[in-house]
Structure formats: structure tokens, C-alpha cells
Amino acid sequence: MRAQAVVNAAAVRDRPALLARLRATLGRDGVHVTADLAAVPAAARAVLAAGPDVVFIGGGDGTFVRVLAALDEAAAGRPLPALVPLPWGTGNGLARSVGVEATTVT
């Protein structure tokens, strides 16, 4: 399985071990940390260029929605890979609604 991740920098600022574990698992080129919303489209293009089967999205609900929109735009009608929320934000309602709790990925 080929995997990539897009991570909101604010979500891992106080959790360096999470980011280190993700990079150890996916490789340095497999983790795209976005400093702000303006960086998300470039990260989405890089993720899709790698051809992953799954994309992990680290952050909260807003991060997930923004990354999803950028991936959809970058895909230009092609099917998207599977998307998995990593509940590292404030609300995490979307992650909880699909059964992913913060304790399962810390």
C-alpha cells in the first residue's frame, strides 16, 4: 500500500513525536506539512503525483475539508485515493463520525 499524508503544522506543533512517527512510517517525502491554507493546493498536487492508495489527513475538521477540496481540484475528475482523518485538531467531529478517535492514532 502506498500512502501519503498532509498535516496541518499547527496540529503537530506541540506533538513532535506524532510527526516523527508519521515520517518514520511514510518516509520524509510521504509527509507534507502545510504551514497555512495557501500551502494546501501544492501539497495536494504533490500527494497525487506520488500515486498513493491512501492519504492520511492530520488536523481537524477544517484541515480535512480544505485538503479534500484541494485533492478534488488537483485530481481534475480522476478518482481520489482513500482518505483517513488523523484527529489532531480541536473539534475532530468528522473523525469521530467515522470511528477514528484521537487515542487510536496518538
Side-chain angles (χ1 to χ4, degrees):
M1 175 179 63
R2 297 168 307 190
Q4 293 272 300
V6 179
V7 177
N8 179 335
V12 291
R13 185 174 301 123
D14 297 328
R15 302 173 182 135
L18 287 176
L19 184 56
R21 188 177 323 160
L22 196 58
R23 283 185 169 142
T25 303
L26 301 181
R28 195 159 206 54
D29 293 339
V31 180
H32 307 269
V33 180
T34 57
D36 54 41
L37 291 177
V40 172
R45 289 189 298 273
V47 161
L48 292 180
D53 301 306
V54 63
V55 177
F56 296 96
I57 302 173
D61 298 333
T63 299
F64 191 90
V65 170
R66 181 64 183 118
V67 172
L68 171 60
L71 287 169
D72 185 52
E73 183 175 326
R78 295 179 311 232
L80 292 177
L83 305 175
V84 178
L86 298 175
W88 297 345
T90 304
N92 303 314
L94 186 138
R96 278 194 312 277
S97 72
V98 296
V100 179
E101 295 291 334
T103 56
T104 62
V105 293
T106 55

